[in-house]
Amino acid sequence: MTVLVTRPGEDGADLCQKLSTLGISNFHHPLLTFIQGRDAASLQYHLKNCHLVIAVSQHAVYWAQHILKHQNASFPTAPIYLAIGNKTAQLLQQYCGKTVISPKISDSEHLLDLPALKLVKNRRILYCEAMVVAN
């Protein structure tokens, strides 16, 4: 038996390595590829001019960090940072150096229930997501 690993990029490669270490035959064939979004050039501007940043995935945070690093920039300290899940929050906190708010249950309904999102009238919110291409 051979395990088909469809996770994208390094996540899939890491899993394949772990499976091989355990003596489990595997084949890595990612179904998705993450790419830089079309708004990459304006990311720094939007981050500096928003009140809240919502990250929906670790891939979105990784790409935002990659883009900022390429532009010799970093995450600003002014916005309030939120993430949909704990792992995404941990990664974003590592990059932005601020506490990142995330719901106890990692889904959009619980994210929207957070107190930080109750009074958002006239606030600029940046929603960070990763671009995905199906292979």
Side-chain angles (χ1 to χ4, degrees):
M1 178 176 82
T2 300
V3 175
L4 173 62
V5 177
T6 60
R7 289 183 181 176
E10 289 183 32
D11 289 343
D14 290 346
L15 178 56
C16 286
Q17 179 61 40
K18 289 175 184 173
L19 290 170
S20 294
T21 301
L22 295 171
I24 300 171
S25 176
N26 62 79
F27 179 72
H28 186 212
H29 183 75
L31 296 179
L32 303 172
T33 301
F34 292 93
I35 61 170
Q36 182 171 297
R38 61 187 167 276
D39 298 329
S42 62
L43 176 63
Q44 192 178 132
Y45 169 81
H46 290 297
L47 280 170
K48 287 182 180 179
N49 292 290
C50 70
H51 299 101
L52 298 153
V53 174
I54 300 173
V56 299
S57 72
Q58 294 174 65
H59 294 288
V61 173
Y62 166 80
W63 275 105
Q65 173 65 14
H66 175 78
I67 292 163
L68 290 171
K69 186 176 179 181
H70 185 268
Q71 297 172 346
N72 293 318
S74 58
F75 283 94
T77 57
I80 295 170
Y81 290 94
L82 298 104
I84 203 159
N86 289 331
K87 288 184 180 181
T88 302
Q90 289 171 0
L91 184 61
L92 181 56
Q93 187 167 321
Q94 174 185 331
Y95 291 143
C96 75
K98 288 185 65 176
T99 299
V100 176
I101 303 166
S102 66
K104 289 182 181 178
I105 298 174
S106 300
D107 62 24
S108 54
E109 291 81 4
H110 288 89
L111 178 80
L112 292 171
D113 255 356
L114 292 172
L117 290 175
K118 292 299 179 193
L119 301 171
V120 294
K121 186 175 181 176
N122 298 320
R123 305 294 247 165
R124 284 183 232 101
I125 301 172
L126 180 62
Y127 177 79
C128 297
E129 62 183 349
M131 293 288 293
V132 178
V133 176
N135 293 334

